[in-house]
Amino acid sequence: MSTLVSRSLCELAQLVNAGKASCREVTEAFLDRSDQLEGRLGAFVSLRREEALREAEDADRLRARGEVRSRWHGLPLAVKEILVSPNLETTCGSRILRGFRAPYEATVLGRVREAGMVVIGTTNMDEFAMGSSCENSAHGVTANPWDLSRVPGGSSGGSAAAVAAREVPVALGTDTGGSIRQPAALCGVVGLKPTYGRVSRYGLVAFASSLDQVGPIARTVEDAASLLGVIAGHDPRDSTSMDVGVPDYAAALDDPPTGLRVGIPREFVAEDGADPEVLERMHDAVRVLEAKGAKTVEVSLPHTPYGVAAYYLICTAEASSNLSRYDGVKYGFRSEAATLDEMYKRSRSEGFGAEVKRRILLGTFVLSAGYYDAYYRKAQQVRTLIRQDFQRAFENCDVIATPTSPGPAWPLGERVNDPLKMYLSDVFTVTVNLAGLPALSVPCGFTSAGLPLGLQLIAPPLEEPRLLAVGHTYQRETDWHQAAPEL
Amino acid sequence: MPEGWEPVIGLEVHAQLRTDSKLFSSAANSFGADPNTQTTEVDLGMPGVLPVINRRAVELALRAALALGCEIQPLSTFARKHYFYPDLPKGYQISQYDEPYASGGKVPIQANGELRTIRLTRIHMEEDAGKLIHDDAITGGGVSHVDLNRAGVPLVEIVSEPEIRSAEEAGAYLRSLRSILRYLDVSDADMEKGHFRCDANISVRRKGADALGTKVELKNLNSFKFVEHAISYEIKRQIDVLEDGGALVQETRLWDDKAGETRPMRIKESAHDYRYFPDPDLAPLRIDPEWIKEVQATLPELPLEKRQRYEQELGLPDYDAQVLIEDRDVAEFFEETVRLYPHPKTVSNWVMRSLLGFISESGQELRQLPLTPSHLAALLELLEQGKVTAASAREIFQEMAGSGLQPADIMRERGLEAVSDSGEIEALLREVLEANPSQLEKYRGGDQKLFNFFVGQVMRRTQGKANPKVVRDLLSQLLR
């Protein structure tokens, strides 16, 4: 293993800026590592070896002339294949978008390109980001680098696995109900879901529009902060993006919070669903923060038990609507038939996988005449209550700490036929999306079986700097994020 | 209509807004371009795209609503209306549903000589769908083509209360609405181009009954003529069914102009569950009171107000007022001319006969002509001063409407100055009287009508250029 691939993005930037490594060498090291591991891991859907090396060489030439676009100019990242670009195929893990290449570019990918970063490939995911295990992909499953017989989590499982396996220093994921944080936790890396509206959704293929958000997956909080700084900011093409200035996230790291109050929600730690080992690791992590001067307070988020139900009503309703456009008429997969109706039915039946169809059916039902009030409207009311729960809790604390996931990675195939159990594994993450809050998952240790676990930190809207500072403080005191899976 | 029945009609009008770009994308909003050239990835419903509301479209919608006296909602929302059809690229249409931006309001109509108002339920904004082309001559047969140029074009849907009572009233309502939208520059409102489309909800009930009858929705009413024919037909059909003891079905029917009848639409197409829910990609639409004030301040005088003013302040007959206000450009031309030449009825006569005549013969629009109000005012001055005769003035008008030359120049160039020299005219009169001794004798015998015969003879000899007043005065003297 080249020593370059064990470096963080920030370390690589230092090496390259100091002339100790070229962008091409860095990019090639990660590509070689990926080539070596992909047969066992399956984190990537595509690798852009030639284009990436060419772009890295271009970056070296520009750097030699002093034309540096950003600190990350010429450094590699991977992209969940749900973000569109004319340079990439974007299938969202679905047969229905097989071969789809958009003639326009996602705003976040435009920002990454302007920063001069090199996309080395697209990463695997649950189809249309629907899933918690990365098993619902038309491209096959992705394995967890810590135990190849287990899932990497999902839906951004490919991005998390690639970063954990040192196939790439950082990656972009998307989070609708935990899809960045949960796979980050299960793969032992850092994942950040920004405040809803902090990052543009233009060119992010929609799953549930009111919940989706793009965010970074990295090995260090510092790298996550760096990538967030690249992608965050207002976009006039996204009406839900906030017109608020982007703070210097990297600078915030050196500004550790004093008198930090860490809220521990009674309902989360009392849940029967959480593995005792998981709770222990969380409490251990909180103790590390206490040792640095933080104070813990008990807070209450009383509507948490309704979170998963409300989430699955809202996200399926929105998904059933967002996925209407895949009808075989304009692009993507079409199954020819004698009549229009038959063409629609066959294209959608054959083009979508089982989990996506399950959610389209649920969402269609939830929005149908006579059921709207009982389901969709009720879920929106619960959503308001959950948001208010958080507002009240943040009157007494600065961040809230919970486990990211109720348990570690589970064996591949274990929950494929038990969707309800799969849905319940999102219990700690979904309420954050319903409330539109930023949340960070940082590695906080291992189970006795050696599987990584994550600590989730939640903050009020736009308080990413606070989250990152707390996460960075924690990583300075611990070395969980230094541990590498043996591959 | 058979005695004892009362039709109850409500109209839903879709009017395209005259914006440069679409409701949620930067694609051009223009008619008649090559298929699928007026589209962006947003209009095509590509993956990952997002809508952004067009401020100008909201402003035009606001103009329409304020002019129609609606109440503006400070906060309104866009919903998604779902159905599968190839003209709808996203699989849903973005439309205001349970929280429209405007409610109430009214449209003034004049039908059967009576002035009244039809109240509005609401106006809401939505995006148009694309178009399917099934014409074998274009597609080569056996397939349909999709043109998404129209997809995303901004519309307002104006919904009336069920207060319309006849096909004539429906026609009057649509004409009034069209005229208002054109005055406001909100819509071209051209029915033939699909800028202005109408669906009708029709039921009938026994006169004096409170309960409404079974409602039928009529679609495919693509011209004013169709609307009136279809509604008349449908009223009669419903009454016939009921009088024969039958029952009506609530359904959607299409007007078939060739057959001259309405026919039920396939049941399947009318049995949709649209699964409306608020579009999560769009924040609620905020219209602040300041903006309302600003827009209100720019509203022009509306057709009905204008018409009343023409009758009351300018003393024009009802007919003149109605003709003049139909087109806002014509009305403004009239008013400006009256400002320069303050004889409203004379100006009205010239606008109605000469100007509208020229427009309809040339097939051009007023704004395309080089003619200005000062041209017409100058011409009418010449006429009043007797420098030209009415016949010459009409000739000069034709020339100046086409060329934009000044009337005095045309008069001189064409030698159309009126002959007012009394010596010259007297000589001509004597010639005429001498040449027609028998008519002179009859006149002296009491046939007063022959006075005009002698005038006419002089006009003929001068090719209409003799000043008629001078001719008449001298003739009276000679015959005394």
Side-chain angles (χ1 to χ4, degrees), chain A residues 104 201-203 209 236 239 321-322 325 330-331 341 344 369, chain B residues 41 45-48 51-52 80 82 85-86 89 92 268 273 281:
Chain A
Y104 47 94
R201 292 188 296 117
Y202 197 89
S209 312
S239 311
S321 172
N322 285 329
R325 69 191 61 201
K330 306 165 293 278
Y331 48 76
D341 272 0
Y344 281 149
Chain B
E41 66 259 26
M46 301 286 264
V52 176
R80 295 180 179 182
H82 300 85
Y85 205 59
Y92 58 83
K268 219 175 155 190
D273 176 355
D281 288 332

PDB file of all heavy atoms in Angstrom, chain A residues 104 201-203 209 236 239 321-322 325 330-331 341 344 369, chain B residues 41 45-48 51-52 80 82 85-86 89 92 268 273 281:
ATOM      1  N   TYR A 104     -26.241  18.396 -18.313  1.00  0.00           N
ATOM      2  CA  TYR A 104     -26.047  19.549 -17.412  1.00  0.00           C
ATOM      3  C   TYR A 104     -25.334  19.030 -16.176  1.00  0.00           C
ATOM      4  O   TYR A 104     -25.248  17.821 -15.963  1.00  0.00           O
ATOM      5  CB  TYR A 104     -27.401  20.184 -17.041  1.00  0.00           C
ATOM      6  CG  TYR A 104     -28.422  19.160 -16.631  1.00  0.00           C
ATOM      7  CD1 TYR A 104     -28.614  18.837 -15.289  1.00  0.00           C
ATOM      8  CD2 TYR A 104     -29.130  18.440 -17.588  1.00  0.00           C
ATOM      9  CE1 TYR A 104     -29.505  17.846 -14.919  1.00  0.00           C
ATOM     10  CE2 TYR A 104     -30.011  17.445 -17.221  1.00  0.00           C
ATOM     11  CZ  TYR A 104     -30.192  17.153 -15.891  1.00  0.00           C
ATOM     12  OH  TYR A 104     -31.055  16.153 -15.538  1.00  0.00           O
ATOM     13  N   ARG A 201     -29.269  21.425  -4.159  1.00  0.00           N
ATOM     14  CA  ARG A 201     -29.760  20.123  -4.610  1.00  0.00           C
ATOM     15  C   ARG A 201     -29.857  20.062  -6.133  1.00  0.00           C
ATOM     16  O   ARG A 201     -30.291  19.052  -6.680  1.00  0.00           O
ATOM     17  CB  ARG A 201     -31.133  19.841  -4.010  1.00  0.00           C
ATOM     18  CG  ARG A 201     -31.124  19.614  -2.516  1.00  0.00           C
ATOM     19  CD  ARG A 201     -32.488  19.136  -2.026  1.00  0.00           C
ATOM     20  NE  ARG A 201     -33.523  20.133  -2.224  1.00  0.00           N
ATOM     21  CZ  ARG A 201     -34.583  19.968  -3.006  1.00  0.00           C
ATOM     22  NH1 ARG A 201     -34.764  18.850  -3.685  1.00  0.00           N
ATOM     23  NH2 ARG A 201     -35.476  20.934  -3.127  1.00  0.00           N
ATOM     24  N   TYR A 202     -29.488  21.151  -6.836  1.00  0.00           N
ATOM     25  CA  TYR A 202     -29.625  21.124  -8.296  1.00  0.00           C
ATOM     26  C   TYR A 202     -28.682  20.077  -8.875  1.00  0.00           C
ATOM     27  O   TYR A 202     -27.468  20.126  -8.650  1.00  0.00           O
ATOM     28  CB  TYR A 202     -29.324  22.491  -8.918  1.00  0.00           C
ATOM     29  CG  TYR A 202     -29.859  22.565 -10.329  1.00  0.00           C
ATOM     30  CD1 TYR A 202     -31.160  22.999 -10.575  1.00  0.00           C
ATOM     31  CD2 TYR A 202     -29.092  22.156 -11.410  1.00  0.00           C
ATOM     32  CE1 TYR A 202     -31.675  23.029 -11.855  1.00  0.00           C
ATOM     33  CE2 TYR A 202     -29.604  22.183 -12.692  1.00  0.00           C
ATOM     34  CZ  TYR A 202     -30.898  22.629 -12.908  1.00  0.00           C
ATOM     35  OH  TYR A 202     -31.410  22.643 -14.186  1.00  0.00           O
ATOM     36  N   GLY A 203     -29.249  19.116  -9.580  1.00  0.00           N
ATOM     37  CA  GLY A 203     -28.436  18.045 -10.157  1.00  0.00           C
ATOM     38  C   GLY A 203     -28.255  16.849  -9.232  1.00  0.00           C
ATOM     39  O   GLY A 203     -27.583  15.890  -9.582  1.00  0.00           O
ATOM     40  N   SER A 209     -37.538  15.291  -1.780  1.00  0.00           N
ATOM     41  CA  SER A 209     -37.028  16.655  -1.962  1.00  0.00           C
ATOM     42  C   SER A 209     -36.911  17.462  -0.676  1.00  0.00           C
ATOM     43  O   SER A 209     -36.023  18.295  -0.559  1.00  0.00           O
ATOM     44  CB  SER A 209     -37.931  17.409  -2.934  1.00  0.00           C
ATOM     45  OG  SER A 209     -38.167  16.628  -4.070  1.00  0.00           O
ATOM     46  N   PRO A 236     -28.992  29.973  -6.997  1.00  0.00           N
ATOM     47  CA  PRO A 236     -30.262  30.521  -7.495  1.00  0.00           C
ATOM     48  C   PRO A 236     -31.114  29.491  -8.250  1.00  0.00           C
ATOM     49  O   PRO A 236     -32.301  29.716  -8.447  1.00  0.00           O
ATOM     50  CB  PRO A 236     -29.836  31.665  -8.432  1.00  0.00           C
ATOM     51  CG  PRO A 236     -28.371  31.512  -8.639  1.00  0.00           C
ATOM     52  CD  PRO A 236     -27.820  30.687  -7.514  1.00  0.00           C
ATOM     53  N   SER A 239     -34.552  26.709  -5.253  1.00  0.00           N
ATOM     54  CA  SER A 239     -35.363  27.621  -4.430  1.00  0.00           C
ATOM     55  C   SER A 239     -35.296  27.283  -2.953  1.00  0.00           C
ATOM     56  O   SER A 239     -35.679  28.098  -2.119  1.00  0.00           O
ATOM     57  CB  SER A 239     -36.835  27.559  -4.843  1.00  0.00           C
ATOM     58  OG  SER A 239     -36.979  27.687  -6.221  1.00  0.00           O
ATOM     59  N   SER A 321     -43.816  10.733  -6.151  1.00  0.00           N
ATOM     60  CA  SER A 321     -43.975  11.869  -7.057  1.00  0.00           C
ATOM     61  C   SER A 321     -42.708  12.105  -7.883  1.00  0.00           C
ATOM     62  O   SER A 321     -42.751  12.200  -9.111  1.00  0.00           O
ATOM     63  CB  SER A 321     -44.311  13.107  -6.226  1.00  0.00           C
ATOM     64  OG  SER A 321     -44.308  14.263  -7.009  1.00  0.00           O
ATOM     65  N   ASN A 322     -41.570  12.161  -7.190  1.00  0.00           N
ATOM     66  CA  ASN A 322     -40.306  12.449  -7.887  1.00  0.00           C
ATOM     67  C   ASN A 322     -39.961  11.395  -8.934  1.00  0.00           C
ATOM     68  O   ASN A 322     -39.326  11.707  -9.939  1.00  0.00           O
ATOM     69  CB  ASN A 322     -39.157  12.533  -6.875  1.00  0.00           C
ATOM     70  CG  ASN A 322     -39.188  13.834  -6.094  1.00  0.00           C
ATOM     71  OD1 ASN A 322     -39.632  14.864  -6.603  1.00  0.00           O
ATOM     72  ND2 ASN A 322     -38.724  13.787  -4.862  1.00  0.00           N
ATOM     73  N   ARG A 325     -41.316  10.719 -13.218  1.00  0.00           N
ATOM     74  CA  ARG A 325     -40.742  11.119 -14.503  1.00  0.00           C
ATOM     75  C   ARG A 325     -40.056   9.965 -15.229  1.00  0.00           C
ATOM     76  O   ARG A 325     -39.798  10.077 -16.418  1.00  0.00           O
ATOM     77  CB  ARG A 325     -39.766  12.280 -14.301  1.00  0.00           C
ATOM     78  CG  ARG A 325     -38.502  11.920 -13.572  1.00  0.00           C
ATOM     79  CD  ARG A 325     -37.733  13.173 -13.181  1.00  0.00           C
ATOM     80  NE  ARG A 325     -38.533  14.003 -12.283  1.00  0.00           N
ATOM     81  CZ  ARG A 325     -38.323  15.300 -12.090  1.00  0.00           C
ATOM     82  NH1 ARG A 325     -37.374  15.928 -12.735  1.00  0.00           N
ATOM     83  NH2 ARG A 325     -39.094  15.969 -11.245  1.00  0.00           N
ATOM     84  N   LYS A 330     -38.843   9.610 -22.310  1.00  0.00           N
ATOM     85  CA  LYS A 330     -37.863  10.626 -22.713  1.00  0.00           C
ATOM     86  C   LYS A 330     -36.416  10.147 -22.669  1.00  0.00           C
ATOM     87  O   LYS A 330     -35.598  10.570 -23.458  1.00  0.00           O
ATOM     88  CB  LYS A 330     -37.998  11.850 -21.794  1.00  0.00           C
ATOM     89  CG  LYS A 330     -39.410  12.405 -21.732  1.00  0.00           C
ATOM     90  CD  LYS A 330     -39.592  13.361 -20.572  1.00  0.00           C
ATOM     91  CE  LYS A 330     -39.488  12.672 -19.234  1.00  0.00           C
ATOM     92  NZ  LYS A 330     -40.711  11.996 -18.773  1.00  0.00           N
ATOM     93  N   TYR A 331     -36.092   9.336 -21.691  1.00  0.00           N
ATOM     94  CA  TYR A 331     -34.701   8.901 -21.518  1.00  0.00           C
ATOM     95  C   TYR A 331     -34.717   7.652 -20.654  1.00  0.00           C
ATOM     96  O   TYR A 331     -35.740   7.299 -20.077  1.00  0.00           O
ATOM     97  CB  TYR A 331     -33.847   9.998 -20.865  1.00  0.00           C
ATOM     98  CG  TYR A 331     -34.488  10.602 -19.634  1.00  0.00           C
ATOM     99  CD1 TYR A 331     -34.510   9.937 -18.424  1.00  0.00           C
ATOM    100  CD2 TYR A 331     -35.119  11.844 -19.712  1.00  0.00           C
ATOM    101  CE1 TYR A 331     -35.120  10.477 -17.312  1.00  0.00           C
ATOM    102  CE2 TYR A 331     -35.743  12.395 -18.596  1.00  0.00           C
ATOM    103  CZ  TYR A 331     -35.737  11.706 -17.399  1.00  0.00           C
ATOM    104  OH  TYR A 331     -36.353  12.238 -16.307  1.00  0.00           O
ATOM    105  N   ASP A 341     -50.130   2.770 -22.189  1.00  0.00           N
ATOM    106  CA  ASP A 341     -50.297   2.303 -20.816  1.00  0.00           C
ATOM    107  C   ASP A 341     -49.423   1.093 -20.527  1.00  0.00           C
ATOM    108  O   ASP A 341     -48.800   0.984 -19.470  1.00  0.00           O
ATOM    109  CB  ASP A 341     -51.769   1.941 -20.547  1.00  0.00           C
ATOM    110  CG  ASP A 341     -52.557   3.156 -20.087  1.00  0.00           C
ATOM    111  OD1 ASP A 341     -51.945   4.249 -19.989  1.00  0.00           O
ATOM    112  OD2 ASP A 341     -53.766   3.018 -19.838  1.00  0.00           O
ATOM    113  N   TYR A 344     -45.796   2.104 -20.220  1.00  0.00           N
ATOM    114  CA  TYR A 344     -45.539   2.667 -18.887  1.00  0.00           C
ATOM    115  C   TYR A 344     -45.366   1.539 -17.870  1.00  0.00           C
ATOM    116  O   TYR A 344     -44.419   1.508 -17.093  1.00  0.00           O
ATOM    117  CB  TYR A 344     -46.726   3.520 -18.421  1.00  0.00           C
ATOM    118  CG  TYR A 344     -46.814   4.915 -18.998  1.00  0.00           C
ATOM    119  CD1 TYR A 344     -48.056   5.519 -19.193  1.00  0.00           C
ATOM    120  CD2 TYR A 344     -45.673   5.656 -19.307  1.00  0.00           C
ATOM    121  CE1 TYR A 344     -48.172   6.805 -19.690  1.00  0.00           C
ATOM    122  CE2 TYR A 344     -45.778   6.944 -19.801  1.00  0.00           C
ATOM    123  CZ  TYR A 344     -47.031   7.518 -19.990  1.00  0.00           C
ATOM    124  OH  TYR A 344     -47.139   8.790 -20.465  1.00  0.00           O
ATOM    125  N   ALA A 369     -56.556   9.907  -2.661  1.00  0.00           N
ATOM    126  CA  ALA A 369     -57.758  10.584  -2.156  1.00  0.00           C
ATOM    127  C   ALA A 369     -58.337   9.780  -0.995  1.00  0.00           C
ATOM    128  O   ALA A 369     -58.475   8.564  -1.072  1.00  0.00           O
ATOM    129  CB  ALA A 369     -58.780  10.709  -3.281  1.00  0.00           C
TER     130      ALA A 369
ATOM    131  N   GLU B  41     -33.392  21.601 -19.505  1.00  0.00           N
ATOM    132  CA  GLU B  41     -33.543  20.326 -18.796  1.00  0.00           C
ATOM    133  C   GLU B  41     -34.701  20.385 -17.791  1.00  0.00           C
ATOM    134  O   GLU B  41     -35.291  19.362 -17.460  1.00  0.00           O
ATOM    135  CB  GLU B  41     -32.226  19.947 -18.104  1.00  0.00           C
ATOM    136  CG  GLU B  41     -31.783  20.870 -16.961  1.00  0.00           C
ATOM    137  CD  GLU B  41     -30.684  21.855 -17.371  1.00  0.00           C
ATOM    138  OE1 GLU B  41     -30.598  22.193 -18.570  1.00  0.00           O
ATOM    139  OE2 GLU B  41     -29.910  22.278 -16.487  1.00  0.00           O
ATOM    140  N   GLY B  45     -38.087  17.695 -17.722  1.00  0.00           N
ATOM    141  CA  GLY B  45     -38.259  16.783 -16.589  1.00  0.00           C
ATOM    142  C   GLY B  45     -37.083  15.839 -16.435  1.00  0.00           C
ATOM    143  O   GLY B  45     -37.245  14.663 -16.119  1.00  0.00           O
ATOM    144  N   MET B  46     -35.872  16.347 -16.633  1.00  0.00           N
ATOM    145  CA  MET B  46     -34.685  15.504 -16.486  1.00  0.00           C
ATOM    146  C   MET B  46     -34.438  15.246 -14.996  1.00  0.00           C
ATOM    147  O   MET B  46     -34.918  15.998 -14.141  1.00  0.00           O
ATOM    148  CB  MET B  46     -33.471  16.200 -17.108  1.00  0.00           C
ATOM    149  CG  MET B  46     -33.610  16.524 -18.583  1.00  0.00           C
ATOM    150  SD  MET B  46     -33.481  15.068 -19.636  1.00  0.00           S
ATOM    151  CE  MET B  46     -31.776  15.172 -20.076  1.00  0.00           C
ATOM    152  N   PRO B  47     -33.642  14.219 -14.679  1.00  0.00           N
ATOM    153  CA  PRO B  47     -33.379  13.915 -13.260  1.00  0.00           C
ATOM    154  C   PRO B  47     -32.593  15.042 -12.578  1.00  0.00           C
ATOM    155  O   PRO B  47     -31.675  15.603 -13.171  1.00  0.00           O
ATOM    156  CB  PRO B  47     -32.514  12.643 -13.320  1.00  0.00           C
ATOM    157  CG  PRO B  47     -32.714  12.082 -14.684  1.00  0.00           C
ATOM    158  CD  PRO B  47     -33.016  13.236 -15.578  1.00  0.00           C
ATOM    159  N   GLY B  48     -32.980  15.354 -11.356  1.00  0.00           N
ATOM    160  CA  GLY B  48     -32.194  16.289 -10.551  1.00  0.00           C
ATOM    161  C   GLY B  48     -32.465  17.762 -10.793  1.00  0.00           C
ATOM    162  O   GLY B  48     -31.853  18.603 -10.150  1.00  0.00           O
ATOM    163  N   PRO B  51     -37.369  23.549 -10.076  1.00  0.00           N
ATOM    164  CA  PRO B  51     -38.070  24.726 -10.588  1.00  0.00           C
ATOM    165  C   PRO B  51     -37.715  25.989  -9.795  1.00  0.00           C
ATOM    166  O   PRO B  51     -37.503  25.909  -8.592  1.00  0.00           O
ATOM    167  CB  PRO B  51     -39.540  24.367 -10.352  1.00  0.00           C
ATOM    168  CG  PRO B  51     -39.504  23.513  -9.115  1.00  0.00           C
ATOM    169  CD  PRO B  51     -38.190  22.771  -9.141  1.00  0.00           C
ATOM    170  N   VAL B  52     -37.636  27.118 -10.485  1.00  0.00           N
ATOM    171  CA  VAL B  52     -37.485  28.413  -9.801  1.00  0.00           C
ATOM    172  C   VAL B  52     -38.543  29.343 -10.382  1.00  0.00           C
ATOM    173  O   VAL B  52     -38.643  29.495 -11.596  1.00  0.00           O
ATOM    174  CB  VAL B  52     -36.074  29.004 -10.023  1.00  0.00           C
ATOM    175  CG1 VAL B  52     -35.976  30.387  -9.386  1.00  0.00           C
ATOM    176  CG2 VAL B  52     -35.004  28.090  -9.443  1.00  0.00           C
ATOM    177  N   ARG B  80     -48.295  19.648  -6.575  1.00  0.00           N
ATOM    178  CA  ARG B  80     -48.052  18.788  -7.728  1.00  0.00           C
ATOM    179  C   ARG B  80     -49.325  18.000  -8.029  1.00  0.00           C
ATOM    180  O   ARG B  80     -49.911  17.418  -7.121  1.00  0.00           O
ATOM    181  CB  ARG B  80     -46.914  17.812  -7.414  1.00  0.00           C
ATOM    182  CG  ARG B  80     -45.566  18.471  -7.204  1.00  0.00           C
ATOM    183  CD  ARG B  80     -44.537  17.397  -6.891  1.00  0.00           C
ATOM    184  NE  ARG B  80     -43.209  17.956  -6.708  1.00  0.00           N
ATOM    185  CZ  ARG B  80     -42.130  17.200  -6.468  1.00  0.00           C
ATOM    186  NH1 ARG B  80     -42.260  15.872  -6.392  1.00  0.00           N
ATOM    187  NH2 ARG B  80     -40.948  17.757  -6.329  1.00  0.00           N
ATOM    188  N   HIS B  82     -50.626  14.911 -10.218  1.00  0.00           N
ATOM    189  CA  HIS B  82     -49.972  13.772 -10.879  1.00  0.00           C
ATOM    190  C   HIS B  82     -50.854  13.073 -11.898  1.00  0.00           C
ATOM    191  O   HIS B  82     -52.016  12.777 -11.619  1.00  0.00           O
ATOM    192  CB  HIS B  82     -49.568  12.730  -9.840  1.00  0.00           C
ATOM    193  CG  HIS B  82     -48.608  13.243  -8.811  1.00  0.00           C
ATOM    194  ND1 HIS B  82     -49.015  13.897  -7.682  1.00  0.00           N
ATOM    195  CD2 HIS B  82     -47.256  13.209  -8.750  1.00  0.00           C
ATOM    196  CE1 HIS B  82     -47.959  14.241  -6.955  1.00  0.00           C
ATOM    197  NE2 HIS B  82     -46.879  13.834  -7.591  1.00  0.00           N
ATOM    198  N   TYR B  85     -48.761  10.974 -18.677  1.00  0.00           N
ATOM    199  CA  TYR B  85     -49.061  11.234 -20.084  1.00  0.00           C
ATOM    200  C   TYR B  85     -47.806  11.838 -20.700  1.00  0.00           C
ATOM    201  O   TYR B  85     -47.100  12.595 -20.026  1.00  0.00           O
ATOM    202  CB  TYR B  85     -50.272  12.182 -20.230  1.00  0.00           C
ATOM    203  CG  TYR B  85     -50.972  12.000 -21.552  1.00  0.00           C
ATOM    204  CD1 TYR B  85     -51.509  10.762 -21.905  1.00  0.00           C
ATOM    205  CD2 TYR B  85     -51.074  13.056 -22.464  1.00  0.00           C
ATOM    206  CE1 TYR B  85     -52.118  10.577 -23.119  1.00  0.00           C
ATOM    207  CE2 TYR B  85     -51.687  12.878 -23.692  1.00  0.00           C
ATOM    208  CZ  TYR B  85     -52.213  11.630 -24.018  1.00  0.00           C
ATOM    209  OH  TYR B  85     -52.812  11.441 -25.229  1.00  0.00           O
ATOM    210  N   PRO B  86     -47.514  11.513 -21.950  1.00  0.00           N
ATOM    211  CA  PRO B  86     -46.232  11.968 -22.502  1.00  0.00           C
ATOM    212  C   PRO B  86     -46.091  13.491 -22.634  1.00  0.00           C
ATOM    213  O   PRO B  86     -44.985  13.987 -22.800  1.00  0.00           O
ATOM    214  CB  PRO B  86     -46.183  11.310 -23.886  1.00  0.00           C
ATOM    215  CG  PRO B  86     -47.085  10.124 -23.774  1.00  0.00           C
ATOM    216  CD  PRO B  86     -48.179  10.548 -22.834  1.00  0.00           C
ATOM    217  N   PRO B  89     -43.810  15.929 -18.784  1.00  0.00           N
ATOM    218  CA  PRO B  89     -42.516  15.240 -18.633  1.00  0.00           C
ATOM    219  C   PRO B  89     -42.163  14.831 -17.202  1.00  0.00           C
ATOM    220  O   PRO B  89     -41.456  13.858 -17.016  1.00  0.00           O
ATOM    221  CB  PRO B  89     -41.498  16.241 -19.192  1.00  0.00           C
ATOM    222  CG  PRO B  89     -42.222  17.493 -19.490  1.00  0.00           C
ATOM    223  CD  PRO B  89     -43.686  17.239 -19.426  1.00  0.00           C
ATOM    224  N   TYR B  92     -45.987  15.036 -13.281  1.00  0.00           N
ATOM    225  CA  TYR B  92     -46.889  15.905 -12.515  1.00  0.00           C
ATOM    226  C   TYR B  92     -46.811  17.309 -13.070  1.00  0.00           C
ATOM    227  O   TYR B  92     -45.812  17.696 -13.687  1.00  0.00           O
ATOM    228  CB  TYR B  92     -46.565  15.895 -11.015  1.00  0.00           C
ATOM    229  CG  TYR B  92     -45.162  16.315 -10.647  1.00  0.00           C
ATOM    230  CD1 TYR B  92     -44.822  17.663 -10.521  1.00  0.00           C
ATOM    231  CD2 TYR B  92     -44.165  15.378 -10.408  1.00  0.00           C
ATOM    232  CE1 TYR B  92     -43.537  18.056 -10.173  1.00  0.00           C
ATOM    233  CE2 TYR B  92     -42.876  15.757 -10.057  1.00  0.00           C
ATOM    234  CZ  TYR B  92     -42.571  17.095  -9.944  1.00  0.00           C
ATOM    235  OH  TYR B  92     -41.305  17.493  -9.602  1.00  0.00           O
ATOM    236  N   LYS B 268     -61.947   6.432 -18.589  1.00  0.00           N
ATOM    237  CA  LYS B 268     -60.633   6.266 -18.001  1.00  0.00           C
ATOM    238  C   LYS B 268     -59.906   7.608 -17.797  1.00  0.00           C
ATOM    239  O   LYS B 268     -59.254   7.828 -16.794  1.00  0.00           O
ATOM    240  CB  LYS B 268     -59.803   5.387 -18.938  1.00  0.00           C
ATOM    241  CG  LYS B 268     -58.916   4.414 -18.222  1.00  0.00           C
ATOM    242  CD  LYS B 268     -58.231   3.525 -19.219  1.00  0.00           C
ATOM    243  CE  LYS B 268     -56.948   3.000 -18.616  1.00  0.00           C
ATOM    244  NZ  LYS B 268     -56.116   2.322 -19.585  1.00  0.00           N
ATOM    245  N   ASP B 273     -57.034  10.124  -9.928  1.00  0.00           N
ATOM    246  CA  ASP B 273     -56.777  10.614  -8.583  1.00  0.00           C
ATOM    247  C   ASP B 273     -55.440  11.349  -8.705  1.00  0.00           C
ATOM    248  O   ASP B 273     -54.396  10.733  -8.874  1.00  0.00           O
ATOM    249  CB  ASP B 273     -56.679   9.432  -7.610  1.00  0.00           C
ATOM    250  CG  ASP B 273     -56.320   9.879  -6.200  1.00  0.00           C
ATOM    251  OD1 ASP B 273     -56.050  11.088  -6.006  1.00  0.00           O
ATOM    252  OD2 ASP B 273     -56.301   9.032  -5.292  1.00  0.00           O
ATOM    253  N   ASP B 281     -40.213  21.382  -3.687  1.00  0.00           N
ATOM    254  CA  ASP B 281     -39.112  22.115  -4.326  1.00  0.00           C
ATOM    255  C   ASP B 281     -39.339  23.622  -4.324  1.00  0.00           C
ATOM    256  O   ASP B 281     -38.441  24.379  -4.684  1.00  0.00           O
ATOM    257  CB  ASP B 281     -38.942  21.657  -5.784  1.00  0.00           C
ATOM    258  CG  ASP B 281     -38.356  20.261  -5.877  1.00  0.00           C
ATOM    259  OD1 ASP B 281     -37.620  19.878  -4.960  1.00  0.00           O
ATOM    260  OD2 ASP B 281     -38.631  19.563  -6.868  1.00  0.00           O
TER     261      ASP B 281
END
